[in-house]
Structure formats: C-alpha cells, structure tokens
Amino acid sequence: MKFKIACLIMLLPSAIIFAQECRYVFKGQVVDFHDKSPLAEASIFINQIGRSAVTDAQGNFEFEEMCPGTYQIQAAHSGCQTLFLEVEISGDTYTEILLEHHRVELEEVRVFGAPLADKTISAIEQSLEEETLEQFSGASLGDALKTISGVSSLNTGANIVKPAIHGLNGSRVLILNDGVRMQDMEWGDEHAPNVDLNAANSVTVIKGASALKYGGDAIGGVILLEQKNLAVKDTLFGKTLLTGLTNGRGGTITSELNKSFHSGLYLKGQASFKRLGDAEAPDYILSNTGISEVGASFQLGRKQLAWGWDVRYAFYNAEIAILRSSHIGNIDDLIRSINSGEPEIIRDFTYDLQNPRQEVTHHLAKAKIYRRFEGLGRLNVQYDFQNNRRFEYDVRRGERDDTPSIDLELQTHTLTTDFKLDANERYELQFGLLGRYQDNFANPATGVRRLIPDYQKYDLGSFITGEYFLSELWTLEAGLRYDFNRIDAQKFYRVSRWEERGYDQDFADIIVEDLGTQYLTNPVFNYHNISVSAGVAYKDEDQNFRFNYALSQRAPNPSELFSDGLHHSAARIELGDLRIDQETSHKFSFSFEKDFDYWGFTIEPYANFIQDFVLLEPTGVEFTLRGAFPVWSFRQTDARLLGVDVSAYVDYTQNWRSDHRFSLVKGNDTDTDIPLINIPAANIVNQISYTQLDWHNFEISLESQYVFRQNETPDDIIVFSPDQQQNVLLEINTAPEAYHLLNLNSSMSFPLGGRTQLTTSLSVNNLLDTSFRDYLNRQRFFADDLGRNIILQLKLNY
C-alpha cells in the first residue's frame, strides 16, 4: 500500500505538468502556391496523435490542446499533390501551408472520350498510354505511332521506321526525348529515330507547328516521349517484359525499377535488349534483315513544391542489317528487281548481320533545375548533350569490307531556359530562350567520297506563348517565336560537279582553295525564321472543338544543301543544292469531338500550304566506276497538303466495343500541278473488342486494316539501260496495289500475391499471311513486306 501511494506521489507532478503544457493552439491556413487563394475542404492530419481537421471556406484549420513537440503533418486536397511537413510546437503556433492546386497537366490522353491534352490548347493532340507502348515493346516508335490517326511512316524494311505526321517526315517532325530535342541526323530517309521505345512511359503527338515552345520548324508536328511522374512518397515498384516474335525468331527483354522517397528524391533505372534474325515474307526469307538493339537509361532527381532538379543519361545502340537484294550494283539491277517481283538474293535464315548494314550509337545526357516563385510562376533551366555516331557499311570487296562507307559523328550542346507565369486564373504566359551548338565530323578515312561534309551549326531561339481563359468553356491561345540558324561548312566539290550545278556563277566567292580537280569551299548560311500560332478551344462535358492557325519556317538541313555523291545504304546518288532556302508553312487545322451515351466520333480536317517546299525525287541516272545508279535530287516548289482524319467508337454493351479510324491526305506540287512523292495512301482501320474483367481482365480484339492504292504519284522516269542499250521506262514512282491485313490481340492478368501481377498477351500480325507491298516502304522495289508474325509477351509488375 505504501508503495502505491509513493508511486502516485511521484507521478502527480508529471501529470500536473503534462496537463499544464497540453494547452497550446496549432492553427493555420492552406492556400494555393500560385496565387495564394484559400483552399477549402483540405485535409490536415497529424500522424503521431492521429488527429485530423478539414479547412473551412477560407482555408483555415485549428487544433486545440496541443502538447509541445515536433509533429509530422500531412496536408491533402483534391487536385493537389499531398504535402508532408514538420511543425515544431512550443507555444501557440500558426503555419501557412502551400499546396500546388492548379490545372492538372494531362500526361496521357486517349483517342476517344478523354479530356483535351494541354501541351497546347488549340492544336490537334493525341497520346499513347503506357499499356499501348508495351504492346510494341518488340517493334519501334514508328510502329507504335501508326496506331494514331494521321500518323504514318516511311520505312526501309521492317526495322528502320521514320514517323510521318500528315504526310510529312524527317526534319519536319521534331522528336523530344524527356524534354531533349533529338539530334540524330534525321534528314536521311533510312535514318530511324535513335530512341528506345521501352524507355518511355507515354508518347504524345502534336499534329502541326503550334507547340512553339518545342521549336518553330515542326511543319509536320512534334512527338514527345515522356517519363513517369513519380509521387512524392516512399515507394518501390518496377516491371519486366519479355517478348518473343516468330517473324525474325527472336525477341526483346526490358526491365525498369522506380524508387521515390517522402523527401522528394527519386531514381529510375531501365534497360532493354532486342535481337532478331532475318525477317520473312509469306513466300521467302528476307535475307539480311536482322537487328541487334540495346538501350539503357538512368534518372535521378528531387521534386519538391518550391524547387527541384533532375539528371538523366540514356544510351542507345542499334546494328541494323539492310535487305541484301536492295543493294543494287547498277541501274539494270534496279530494273530487274522492279520487273521480277521477288528478291534476286534469297538465302537460308540466319542471325548474322552482314553488309549492307548500319550501326548507330547515341548518348544523351541532361541536367535540369526548376524553381517556383510564390504567386508568380516557375523557372526552368536545362542543359543537354548528345553524341550521335553513325556508320553505314556497303558491300565492298577485299580488306575494306569492314570499313564503313559513311562515318559521321554529331555532337550537340543545348542550353534552354523558360519561365511560366501561371498565378493568374484568367491567363498564363510562358517565354523562353534557347542556345545550341552543333559540330558534325565526317571521317575522310572511309575510302569513298563524303556524302555530308564537316560543318558547325549555331542556333538561337526565343518564344512567348499565352493562354487566355475566356470562360470555363472557351480558351484562346497564341504564340510567337524567332529562331536564328547558321551553318558553317567545309565542303569539297569536284570541278565538274561545281560547273554542272552552275555554282561557278553563283558561289565563286566561297572557294577557299583550288586543288586542280576539286575545290575546297566554305559555305556559310544564315537563316532568320519567324513562327506564329493562334487558336481557340471550346470544351464541355461531351464535346470539344479546336481551331488553330500556325505559320512556321524551317531552315534547310545539311543533306538538302550539301549532299553530293553515292548514298551507299540507299543505293542512289543524292544531290543537294546550295540555293535551297527556308520553307514557309501556313497550316489550318480544325478538330471536333462529340461523345454520346454509347458512341462518339472525332473529325480533324486540315490544310497545309508550304512555300518553297523541299522535296527529294528521282531525276535520272548517273554512271560511276561501280556502275549506273539512279540520281535523286533536291528541289524546291510550292506545295499544298489537304487531309482529314476521322475516328469513332461504339460501346455496344459493357463487354463489346468497336473502334474505327480513317485517314486521307492529298499532296500536290502547285507549281507543276503534279502529285508529291511519298504521300501516304488512304487507309481505314476497324477493330472489334471483347472485354471480360471477371476472367482475369481478359481482352481480345480483331483488327482489320485496309490500305488503298496510292493513285496520285509523280510520273515514272526514262533511263538508259546499259544492258539493253536503249532508253527504258523505270517505274520507280508507281505505287503497289491496295492490300488488306487482319491482326489479332488478346491478353489476361494473374495476381501472384501482394503487388505482383503477371500479364500475358498473344498477338498475331498479318493473321492470314498476306503478301503485300507498301508504297512508303523503300524496299517495295525488291521484296514483299512481312508475313505472319506471332508475338507472345509476358509482363511482370512488382
């Protein structure tokens, strides 16, 4: 009894002190970081003691009877990122909590029934979700993008796929990889983007040049590859995909791991590998069409409300074999290939990558920092470096078989900064600056004449864009951009070519040294480019309307100016023109999207009028020491592209759905009233899908793809055949026949315990093993396209 009394006496002072100290008041206000407006109905939670409160209409909250100490506070609000902070209480305490409550940026937008993307307000935009990109893990970026209406591709076989938007490709289509504009010699028809599709978590296509903050020369459009936006919390997750393909008898494996912390620190690692042997047409092996591809990236950063930083390194290497029969030795080889209907060289299947082939390596490194200013906006500063190395191997004899015919190294340094004023609910303004230096080295130790010379390129740019919110439904958008480009080259010309092109009359002042049979020249060109965009958007619950006008200018690329000689991987002579000037595009685009209870549609007509449009077309034949080759020359003209993309869906029941797409574009040389070369044919895609979520998320779909014959092509050319000793018609522009393909896709998911889930999918492309040739595949002269391809994929999420 005495012991109990003693304990009570000892504890009594502590209880009195405790009761006296737990009398403090902790209160505060939750406001928007941007404009300091109060946030009602925000939740405030104190972790240690399990107490919570909800803010009133003025954003105020209050906790009474608080004890002294340090507390972990969690603040959350709808549309905001949850904030974690520490508060020390040693008396009555007041705290202002800043949350970022603003218009949410939509990172992924479905084609139908989804909100507008806000990379721009009035431009036509569509995106691919991560699940769609995973279906193309064993394919390429260009293959995945063709699932978007209005996007096609210019192919060199199955592994070199260049995206085309509204009939335009190459330098007219900008590709940004995690905010870095790719600099990878995109000017070549057979130069695919040097990106690992498996490293991207979403891809957005902006059709046209209205997104001025990315560049003013995107006459075709912009492709944005973006990374996952990780939450500010302790989490660890990843995935591994294993894909097997029967056509090529190989596959890919890719894996990524993501880690983030409450402090805002995050990191991501990713790697992928692809290996395929010879592809197969329905009736024969496409000899020497394998590929070996490796990609890896690492990202580290810290994301907080007021500031943050991000660094990323990405590596990409691809060795791509080119169809052996496509490598012609002279013009008669090309005539025989076009007339015969099947490749001249058919060998047994192999994984060997023989000549002709390409090997490209791309390094990308970037560092970015941002700082948010209360009641004002956000400042971004980014530096990035890229190194692109390209080897092109010809079929050569003797010791030089392993010596590349083209050896180019392109190094690019870019510094950008922009500031976004977004504190006002009525409008937003963004302005930025860009500086870029680029150096191209063409190794002369190849033993052949250099197609592209050494050059240095300087770019300076500035832009301002604005959005004005007329109401909850109507938004105006406008922008202005100026770019300065300078190209400083060192180029050798044979005297005969110099005089044949008439350069002796127009460019005599750029000759640096007369070497007898050739001149060393120093062409320096400056270009001043203006871009303007203006548009309006209307959006309510079930319909969207967008209209945009974009004026854009594009300076010529080095290939258009300086090409001079045999392009070995293309097996043709390419001739640039020093007189080529910048292009000017006027594009009008319109989009209307309507959703009903069980169905909806989108219609997107557009018109693009381009002054001084640069095109590459066959013009004749030239004889070399290796034989006679077709000559493709660059020239400028005025062009008109008119088109429309139509999409629709129908939800018949909870389980059955159909999707439909139609695209048509017509391109004309308005100076000569003849069709433009390499304009995609009209195509229509219909898909019927069945989904049963109770059956382990079972999905199955059958897709029908019909591609019409392209009847509007330039005239074929007359060439001299050394074998026949006479002029013959070379049907180099004639398009192949229309074709129809069926594709099957299915998938199921199985939980493996905890957060781990296995997803299996089975796809069959060209289900009926149809023989066909596509007008935009440069190997259509030599062989059929791919036959049936069965694809099995296993995906493990953990």
Side-chain angles (χ1 to χ4, degrees), residues 246-261:
T246 60
N247 202 325
R249 309 181 195 180
T252 66
I253 181 170
T254 179
S255 187
E256 72 172 50
L257 191 63
N258 302 270
K259 173 62 180 173
S260 60
F261 302 87

PDB file of all heavy atoms in Angstrom, residues 246-261:
ATOM      1  N   THR A 246       7.848 -14.636 -83.706  1.00  0.00           N
ATOM      2  CA  THR A 246       8.165 -15.733 -84.624  1.00  0.00           C
ATOM      3  C   THR A 246       8.811 -15.218 -85.906  1.00  0.00           C
ATOM      4  O   THR A 246       9.656 -15.899 -86.487  1.00  0.00           O
ATOM      5  CB  THR A 246       6.900 -16.531 -84.972  1.00  0.00           C
ATOM      6  OG1 THR A 246       5.938 -15.664 -85.603  1.00  0.00           O
ATOM      7  CG2 THR A 246       6.291 -17.142 -83.736  1.00  0.00           C
ATOM      8  N   ASN A 247       8.405 -14.035 -86.378  1.00  0.00           N
ATOM      9  CA  ASN A 247       8.982 -13.479 -87.592  1.00  0.00           C
ATOM     10  C   ASN A 247      10.264 -12.743 -87.218  1.00  0.00           C
ATOM     11  O   ASN A 247      10.243 -11.634 -86.685  1.00  0.00           O
ATOM     12  CB  ASN A 247       8.000 -12.526 -88.288  1.00  0.00           C
ATOM     13  CG  ASN A 247       8.320 -12.357 -89.763  1.00  0.00           C
ATOM     14  OD1 ASN A 247       9.481 -12.355 -90.164  1.00  0.00           O
ATOM     15  ND2 ASN A 247       7.281 -12.227 -90.575  1.00  0.00           N
ATOM     16  N   GLY A 248      11.375 -13.371 -87.479  1.00  0.00           N
ATOM     17  CA  GLY A 248      12.665 -12.903 -87.001  1.00  0.00           C
ATOM     18  C   GLY A 248      13.236 -13.843 -85.966  1.00  0.00           C
ATOM     19  O   GLY A 248      14.420 -13.755 -85.620  1.00  0.00           O
ATOM     20  N   ARG A 249      12.364 -14.726 -85.418  1.00  0.00           N
ATOM     21  CA  ARG A 249      12.780 -15.776 -84.487  1.00  0.00           C
ATOM     22  C   ARG A 249      13.631 -15.227 -83.337  1.00  0.00           C
ATOM     23  O   ARG A 249      14.719 -15.713 -83.036  1.00  0.00           O
ATOM     24  CB  ARG A 249      13.528 -16.882 -85.225  1.00  0.00           C
ATOM     25  CG  ARG A 249      12.779 -17.413 -86.445  1.00  0.00           C
ATOM     26  CD  ARG A 249      13.535 -18.527 -87.131  1.00  0.00           C
ATOM     27  NE  ARG A 249      12.994 -18.790 -88.472  1.00  0.00           N
ATOM     28  CZ  ARG A 249      13.459 -19.705 -89.309  1.00  0.00           C
ATOM     29  NH1 ARG A 249      14.491 -20.466 -88.933  1.00  0.00           N
ATOM     30  NH2 ARG A 249      12.934 -19.868 -90.510  1.00  0.00           N
ATOM     31  N   GLY A 250      13.133 -14.184 -82.727  1.00  0.00           N
ATOM     32  CA  GLY A 250      13.862 -13.572 -81.624  1.00  0.00           C
ATOM     33  C   GLY A 250      12.908 -12.852 -80.707  1.00  0.00           C
ATOM     34  O   GLY A 250      11.740 -13.245 -80.558  1.00  0.00           O
ATOM     35  N   GLY A 251      13.375 -11.787 -80.090  1.00  0.00           N
ATOM     36  CA  GLY A 251      12.510 -11.045 -79.196  1.00  0.00           C
ATOM     37  C   GLY A 251      13.246  -9.959 -78.446  1.00  0.00           C
ATOM     38  O   GLY A 251      14.373  -9.577 -78.789  1.00  0.00           O
ATOM     39  N   THR A 252      12.580  -9.447 -77.407  1.00  0.00           N
ATOM     40  CA  THR A 252      13.139  -8.377 -76.590  1.00  0.00           C
ATOM     41  C   THR A 252      12.920  -8.696 -75.124  1.00  0.00           C
ATOM     42  O   THR A 252      11.995  -9.428 -74.753  1.00  0.00           O
ATOM     43  CB  THR A 252      12.461  -7.022 -76.903  1.00  0.00           C
ATOM     44  OG1 THR A 252      11.080  -7.082 -76.510  1.00  0.00           O
ATOM     45  CG2 THR A 252      12.547  -6.695 -78.371  1.00  0.00           C
ATOM     46  N   ILE A 253      13.766  -8.120 -74.301  1.00  0.00           N
ATOM     47  CA  ILE A 253      13.567  -8.133 -72.858  1.00  0.00           C
ATOM     48  C   ILE A 253      13.849  -6.728 -72.354  1.00  0.00           C
ATOM     49  O   ILE A 253      14.816  -6.078 -72.784  1.00  0.00           O
ATOM     50  CB  ILE A 253      14.473  -9.172 -72.151  1.00  0.00           C
ATOM     51  CG1 ILE A 253      14.189  -9.159 -70.648  1.00  0.00           C
ATOM     52  CG2 ILE A 253      15.944  -8.943 -72.443  1.00  0.00           C
ATOM     53  CD1 ILE A 253      14.849 -10.299 -69.893  1.00  0.00           C
ATOM     54  N   THR A 254      12.958  -6.228 -71.515  1.00  0.00           N
ATOM     55  CA  THR A 254      13.133  -4.890 -70.967  1.00  0.00           C
ATOM     56  C   THR A 254      12.703  -4.895 -69.507  1.00  0.00           C
ATOM     57  O   THR A 254      11.780  -5.632 -69.122  1.00  0.00           O
ATOM     58  CB  THR A 254      12.321  -3.844 -71.751  1.00  0.00           C
ATOM     59  OG1 THR A 254      12.504  -2.550 -71.171  1.00  0.00           O
ATOM     60  CG2 THR A 254      10.834  -4.181 -71.753  1.00  0.00           C
ATOM     61  N   SER A 255      13.375  -4.112 -68.699  1.00  0.00           N
ATOM     62  CA  SER A 255      13.071  -4.066 -67.276  1.00  0.00           C
ATOM     63  C   SER A 255      13.341  -2.661 -66.753  1.00  0.00           C
ATOM     64  O   SER A 255      14.248  -1.966 -67.242  1.00  0.00           O
ATOM     65  CB  SER A 255      13.924  -5.081 -66.515  1.00  0.00           C
ATOM     66  OG  SER A 255      13.536  -5.165 -65.163  1.00  0.00           O
ATOM     67  N   GLU A 256      12.525  -2.238 -65.796  1.00  0.00           N
ATOM     68  CA  GLU A 256      12.752  -0.935 -65.161  1.00  0.00           C
ATOM     69  C   GLU A 256      12.415  -1.013 -63.687  1.00  0.00           C
ATOM     70  O   GLU A 256      11.597  -1.838 -63.249  1.00  0.00           O
ATOM     71  CB  GLU A 256      11.929   0.166 -65.834  1.00  0.00           C
ATOM     72  CG  GLU A 256      10.437   0.108 -65.565  1.00  0.00           C
ATOM     73  CD  GLU A 256       9.705   1.336 -66.090  1.00  0.00           C
ATOM     74  OE1 GLU A 256       9.911   1.692 -67.264  1.00  0.00           O
ATOM     75  OE2 GLU A 256       8.917   1.914 -65.326  1.00  0.00           O
ATOM     76  N   LEU A 257      13.048  -0.153 -62.901  1.00  0.00           N
ATOM     77  CA  LEU A 257      12.835  -0.089 -61.459  1.00  0.00           C
ATOM     78  C   LEU A 257      12.753   1.374 -61.057  1.00  0.00           C
ATOM     79  O   LEU A 257      13.600   2.187 -61.457  1.00  0.00           O
ATOM     80  CB  LEU A 257      13.972  -0.786 -60.719  1.00  0.00           C
ATOM     81  CG  LEU A 257      13.775  -1.037 -59.219  1.00  0.00           C
ATOM     82  CD1 LEU A 257      12.597  -1.983 -58.981  1.00  0.00           C
ATOM     83  CD2 LEU A 257      15.048  -1.611 -58.604  1.00  0.00           C
ATOM     84  N   ASN A 258      11.712   1.707 -60.266  1.00  0.00           N
ATOM     85  CA  ASN A 258      11.478   3.072 -59.820  1.00  0.00           C
ATOM     86  C   ASN A 258      11.483   3.124 -58.299  1.00  0.00           C
ATOM     87  O   ASN A 258      10.872   2.265 -57.641  1.00  0.00           O
ATOM     88  CB  ASN A 258      10.129   3.591 -60.326  1.00  0.00           C
ATOM     89  CG  ASN A 258      10.022   3.562 -61.837  1.00  0.00           C
ATOM     90  OD1 ASN A 258      10.369   4.511 -62.514  1.00  0.00           O
ATOM     91  ND2 ASN A 258       9.519   2.456 -62.383  1.00  0.00           N
ATOM     92  N   LYS A 259      12.128   4.144 -57.754  1.00  0.00           N
ATOM     93  CA  LYS A 259      12.168   4.337 -56.309  1.00  0.00           C
ATOM     94  C   LYS A 259      11.984   5.816 -56.007  1.00  0.00           C
ATOM     95  O   LYS A 259      12.637   6.674 -56.611  1.00  0.00           O
ATOM     96  CB  LYS A 259      13.505   3.847 -55.742  1.00  0.00           C
ATOM     97  CG  LYS A 259      13.711   4.154 -54.260  1.00  0.00           C
ATOM     98  CD  LYS A 259      12.687   3.479 -53.362  1.00  0.00           C
ATOM     99  CE  LYS A 259      12.915   3.812 -51.895  1.00  0.00           C
ATOM    100  NZ  LYS A 259      11.825   3.298 -51.020  1.00  0.00           N
ATOM    101  N   SER A 260      11.067   6.119 -55.075  1.00  0.00           N
ATOM    102  CA  SER A 260      10.878   7.506 -54.651  1.00  0.00           C
ATOM    103  C   SER A 260      10.762   7.552 -53.131  1.00  0.00           C
ATOM    104  O   SER A 260      10.466   6.541 -52.478  1.00  0.00           O
ATOM    105  CB  SER A 260       9.630   8.115 -55.300  1.00  0.00           C
ATOM    106  OG  SER A 260       8.465   7.387 -54.947  1.00  0.00           O
ATOM    107  N   PHE A 261      10.985   8.745 -52.571  1.00  0.00           N
ATOM    108  CA  PHE A 261      11.020   8.933 -51.124  1.00  0.00           C
ATOM    109  C   PHE A 261      10.123  10.106 -50.731  1.00  0.00           C
ATOM    110  O   PHE A 261       9.794  10.958 -51.555  1.00  0.00           O
ATOM    111  CB  PHE A 261      12.459   9.217 -50.652  1.00  0.00           C
ATOM    112  CG  PHE A 261      13.443   8.142 -51.012  1.00  0.00           C
ATOM    113  CD1 PHE A 261      14.085   8.152 -52.244  1.00  0.00           C
ATOM    114  CD2 PHE A 261      13.732   7.127 -50.118  1.00  0.00           C
ATOM    115  CE1 PHE A 261      15.001   7.178 -52.580  1.00  0.00           C
ATOM    116  CE2 PHE A 261      14.648   6.142 -50.441  1.00  0.00           C
ATOM    117  CZ  PHE A 261      15.285   6.163 -51.681  1.00  0.00           C
TER     118      PHE A 261
END
